[in-house]
Amino acid sequence: MRLPVIALAAGLALQAHAQQPVVAEAPLRAHLSLLADDLFEGRGTGQRGGDLTVRYLETQAAVLGLKPLADGTYRQLVKAEGTKLLPDSFARFSADNGKILTPATGPEILLGTMSGKEDLSIDAPLVFVGYGAVAPEENWDDYKGQDMKGKILVMMVNDPQPTAEEPNRFAGKAYTYYGRWMYKYEEALRQGAAGALLIHTTPSASYDWSVPATSFGHERFHLAGSGNQLEGWLQEDTARALFAASGFDLDALRAQAERRDFRPVDLKLKMHAQIKSKVRQIEQYNVVGIVPGTDAKLKSEAVVYSAHWDHLGIDENKQGDNIWNGAIDNGSGVAALLAMAQAAVQHPAKRTQVFLWPAGEETGFLGSSAYIRNPAWPLEKTSADLNLDSMNFIGKTRDIGVAGAERSSLYDAAAVVAKKMGLKLAPSIPDLSGAYFRADHFSFAKAGVPAFNVGSAVFSGDGYFDFIKDQDKSRARLVAFKQDYHQPSDEYHADWDLSGMVQQAQFTLNLGYEVANAPKMQTWKAGDAFGKVKR
């Protein structure tokens, strides 16, 4: 009788193993190599490459067996407005003392509009508003009740800095959402201002001038029906010259802006801007596929996996290589999500699993913001969002990046999954670049859904090179990617070791199952909820 027992035990073990969804490298690599190919033209928002990408993703969703939305399609409409600055746009500044400055558009000042107007003329006074933050929980208000209607607000990026007396104000050395460029523009709109100019420094923004310059050089998008008349950036030297022209010292005003009693400063400058743009209305799409849950009660709740499909597309005016292929950012996440979905459809979880490929992340979270406005699954029934963006192309690691997970119970769930996989959670480090606020998961976080971007130890951990064969080559590639970020050189290479990308995708899927099969929904830790969704 021992043989049947052994055979039965072996059969049960194999059955149990079969129930574990396994992410395969072959489909991941195939999807990545194709999505990053020139054929997809950089997957640009509002471009043919974007349309091709949506068509590819919805076809793959159907092939994999993901269930469509209620209307029978995998598409979720995102209505957006695209604006491309034309070459004869300019800004001129005149001081009350008669001095006139005309900084060069591109190298010294960046200009754009979200007004929807093709020919816009702006004449408005400039007001320095420090960090431009209104943060009641920090007892901080840079506006002090002053009327900002019709004015151009000049702001610093980043947050008010910690002091010896208050080492933890605005999260200490870490970034908060108040420091992000996106918040600055949002607040200017709430204040009724004519627009906002952000003062750029590489340390405060955490990236050099080329990043906003590339963004403003391309067509920019926003959800239809909202936006500032003027949005832009000033090079630090340009800002310094403007302030000096009317008798102000930039550094002195910066120092004042570090105090709670700071009040807006009339810069005694007027801005005349002629902004000529090509404006068009577009319909873009998120792609959504669903794996229904199996539990009679819990299937009404869901876990979302997300990875934005867009990149920067084609720039017809650029000489040479003018396709921003976006292999790592974010062809990697798109391909990983497809490979994860292929595994998930074979092994449904107790809760429903929603696979979301948002549009327009590079242009300000358009797709994820649209999803939040009209979710495929009720937000109060969404346990978590696990996002993938710019994944590991170096090789297997010993730890996994979970920055931001500590804000919610997701950190504990991640620790359980990491232990099962023989991984460690990468050490927590201060978020000096505002990374938590720079990916699609933050749209969910703002709406109250626990969420974070599942990172890679390549970018957030240490000691990972112990697993990698050609360490020197891998280190060189990792360093080179910093130059490839948001450049045409972010291209796929057939000799990439994708074992680490598969590992990262597997961890994310395993974490999704931990969340999807848990007795309760995920929750924020005290004092760290971003939204007001009732859970």
Side-chain angles (χ1 to χ4, degrees):
M1 296 296 293
R2 287 177 59 82
L3 185 59
V5 171
I6 293 173
L8 177 61
L12 291 174
L14 288 171
Q15 184 178 14
H17 178 74
Q19 294 304 310
Q20 299 298 317
V22 177
V23 179
E25 179 177 328
L28 194 161
R29 185 180 290 274
H31 292 306
L32 174 56
S33 64
L34 182 58
L35 288 163
D37 193 89
D38 282 358
L39 288 171
F40 278 77
E41 300 177 353
R43 307 186 306 279
T45 299
Q47 298 183 10
R48 186 179 71 161
D51 295 338
L52 289 171
T53 305
V54 169
R55 192 73 186 94
Y56 180 75
L57 290 174
E58 65 181 355
T59 300
Q60 290 300 313
V63 169
L64 295 177
L66 293 172
K67 301 299 182 184
L69 297 169
D71 63 359
T73 76
Y74 296 94
R75 296 187 174 202
Q76 184 186 52
L77 179 63
V78 180
K79 289 188 176 182
E81 193 169 75
T83 303
K84 180 76 167 66
L85 190 73
L86 297 178
D88 49 351
S89 301
F90 70 91
R92 183 173 62 247
F93 299 87
S94 57
D96 287 358
N97 59 18
K99 291 183 179 179
I100 295 177
L101 292 90
T102 306
T105 304
E108 297 178 323
I109 187 173
L110 301 176
L111 298 170
T113 180
M114 295 285 106
S115 67
K117 297 179 180 178
E118 293 188 333
D119 194 345
L120 179 65
S121 180
I122 294 178
D123 288 280
L126 268 64
V127 179
F128 178 65
V129 294
Y131 288 100
V134 180
E137 70 277 16
E138 294 281 351
N139 189 27
W140 195 280
D141 181 0
D142 281 323
Y143 296 96
K144 303 297 191 294
Q146 292 191 23
D147 186 2
M148 295 294 136
K149 291 179 181 177
K151 298 175 182 177
I152 301 295
L153 310 183
V154 181
M155 309 181 193
M156 301 185 293
V157 292
N158 214 311
D159 302 296
Q161 296 300 292
T163 65
E165 296 77 19
E166 293 184 281
N168 295 316
R169 78 174 186 179
F170 284 89
K173 289 291 186 181
Y175 234 91
T176 76
Y177 187 53
Y178 297 109
R180 289 281 290 141
W181 64 266
M182 189 178 295
Y183 167 80
K184 312 290 184 181
Y185 290 148
E186 289 173 354
E187 190 58 47
L189 191 63
R190 285 190 287 268
Q191 294 289 333
L197 293 171
L198 310 184
I199 302 172
H200 177 273
T201 71
T202 297
S204 65
S206 80
Y207 40 75
D208 65 26
W209 181 256
S210 69
V211 175
T214 297
S215 175
F216 274 71
H218 285 74
E219 186 176 19
R220 299 172 66 235
F221 296 87
H222 67 283
L223 293 180
S226 64
N228 288 297
Q229 287 190 77
L230 172 77
E231 294 181 353
W233 290 75
L234 295 169
Q235 276 272 29
E236 183 180 23
D237 289 344
T238 304
R240 192 178 300 281
L242 288 175
F243 282 44
S246 55
F248 290 98
D249 181 83
L250 174 59
D251 293 328
L253 290 184
R254 280 172 168 164
Q256 291 181 30
E258 297 294 344
R259 297 168 54 93
R260 279 193 176 83
D261 59 1
F262 167 82
R263 301 182 70 83
V265 177
D266 180 353
L267 291 175
K268 309 301 181 184
L269 285 165
K270 289 185 174 59
M271 179 181 188
H272 172 70
Q274 287 295 135
I275 302 178
K276 297 182 183 295
S277 309
K278 180 180 180 182
V279 180
R280 62 186 177 122
Q281 307 298 320
I282 67 165
E283 292 185 347
Q284 207 63 84
Y285 296 92
N286 296 332
V287 178
V288 186
I290 297 170
V291 179
T294 59
D295 186 89
K297 181 180 179 181
L298 295 182
K299 67 180 181 181
S300 66
E301 299 170 356
V303 57
V304 176
Y305 308 92
S306 57
H308 74 90
W309 59 253
D310 67 298
H311 197 55
L312 301 180
I314 292 180
D315 184 353
E316 300 289 356
N317 298 318
K318 186 181 183 301
Q319 298 297 315
D321 186 358
N322 65 349
I323 300 178
W324 273 255
N325 301 82
I328 297 302
D329 184 14
N330 184 34
S332 61
V334 177
L337 222 60
L338 285 168
M340 290 160 58
Q342 182 173 336
V345 292
Q346 304 299 322
H347 309 288
K350 292 181 180 180
R351 285 184 177 83
T352 295
Q353 297 175 86
V354 177
F355 289 83
L356 168 65
W357 290 270
E361 187 270 354
E362 300 288 4
T363 57
F365 307 158
L366 296 187
S368 56
S369 296
Y371 180 93
I372 294 302
R373 293 184 182 186
N374 182 33
W377 213 264
L379 296 180
E380 66 273 14
K381 292 286 188 179
T382 301
S383 186
D385 170 59
L386 306 177
N387 191 63
L388 289 172
D389 194 339
S390 298
M391 297 179 67
N392 173 13
F393 61 101
I394 299 299
K396 257 190 171 182
T397 63
R398 65 172 60 197
D399 53 359
I400 193 79
V402 294
E406 72 279 357
R407 299 172 181 271
S408 70
S409 57
L410 284 171
Y411 186 86
D412 299 327
V416 170
V417 172
K419 185 176 181 180
K420 290 179 180 178
M421 293 181 66
L423 294 168
K424 294 181 179 179
L425 299 185
S428 178
I429 58 176
D431 186 1
L432 301 180
S433 65
Y436 186 76
F437 314 104
R438 293 169 59 181
D440 276 318
H441 67 275
F442 187 60
S443 294
F444 286 85
K446 281 201 298 183
V449 176
F452 76 102
N453 190 70
V454 183
S456 164
V458 164
F459 300 107
S460 60
D462 59 5
Y464 51 85
F465 282 111
D466 292 352
F467 284 94
I468 299 171
K469 295 179 181 178
D470 193 341
Q471 295 187 21
D472 290 339
K473 183 177 180 180
S474 296
R475 288 180 189 277
R477 276 188 163 168
L478 186 58
V479 171
F481 178 67
K482 295 179 180 179
Q483 304 303 317
D484 296 336
Y485 176 67
H486 277 208
Q487 299 299 323
S489 53
D490 180 8
E491 297 179 320
Y492 170 75
H493 297 274
D495 64 343
W496 274 345
D497 179 353
L498 296 190
S499 61
M501 195 175 294
V502 173
Q503 180 188 47
Q504 188 178 351
Q506 187 68 63
F507 175 86
T508 306
L509 187 60
N510 290 355
L511 177 56
Y513 274 76
E514 183 73 18
V515 170
N517 293 324
K520 297 181 179 180
M521 297 243 292
Q522 301 299 302
T523 56
W524 291 101
K525 292 187 178 177
D528 229 334
F530 287 93
K532 298 180 179 179
V533 172
K534 294 181 179 179
R535 306 189 64 72

